Amino acid sequence: MSLQNLFSKLFGQNKTKIQTFTYYIPAPPPRNTGYREKQFDRIMTEITSKGFEIVDFKTQALSREEGSGIWVIFLLRPNNKNIDLNNLDFDSIDNEDKKVPLEGLYHLD
């Protein structure tokens, strides 16, 4: 490795821009068994398969009369400069060779 490549790697000159991804998961109705958020799993699979690395994540619970839930906030880093979170198609996710619409997903401007 050349000295220039080493400095670039150490000091982040080749690093791509970190982006955030925020998702709200409403609380499921009361039940006696566990609950898996499959929709969120599909979204995260799409994000990681398209070349994003999860740098960090945080959660924030929300409790109110109208309904409770949790916000999940991810810091993502694209593995190359050519991919952008805004260019990914989150309106539907591939599921067993067909596109499945994602409910409750909206883009914030």
Side-chain angles (χ1 to χ4, degrees):
M1 178 181 298
S2 74
L3 190 56
Q4 182 179 7
N5 288 344
L6 179 61
F7 277 119
S8 294
K9 189 171 185 174
L10 289 174
F11 296 109
Q13 292 175 356
N14 289 335
K15 297 262 185 201
T16 52
K17 185 174 119 181
I18 291 178
Q19 299 177 41
T20 58
F21 175 75
T22 306
Y23 190 74
Y24 180 75
I25 303 169
R31 59 183 77 200
N32 295 327
T33 60
Y35 174 76
R36 178 177 176 197
E37 180 54 59
K38 292 181 182 180
Q39 209 169 30
F40 178 73
D41 294 343
R42 286 197 302 259
I43 291 171
M44 291 311 299
T45 299
E46 180 79 2
I47 287 172
T48 56
S49 71
K50 297 295 184 188
F52 285 91
E53 168 191 355
I54 298 170
V55 176
D56 192 17
F57 73 95
K58 305 284 186 221
T59 59
Q60 178 63 52
L62 176 65
S63 181
R64 51 188 188 160
E65 281 186 36
E66 303 86 40
S68 300
I70 188 168
W71 283 99
V72 185
I73 302 104
F74 283 87
L75 287 179
L76 303 173
R77 178 182 295 125
N79 290 329
N80 69 58
K81 294 179 183 180
N82 297 327
I83 60 174
D84 184 356
L85 192 61
N86 295 321
N87 295 334
L88 297 181
D89 178 17
F90 292 123
D91 295 327
S92 62
I93 299 293
D94 288 328
N95 186 22
E96 299 175 9
D97 299 326
K98 61 183 177 183
K99 291 283 190 180
V100 176
L102 293 177
E103 295 178 16
L105 183 69
Y106 57 94
H107 300 278
L108 297 175
D109 294 325

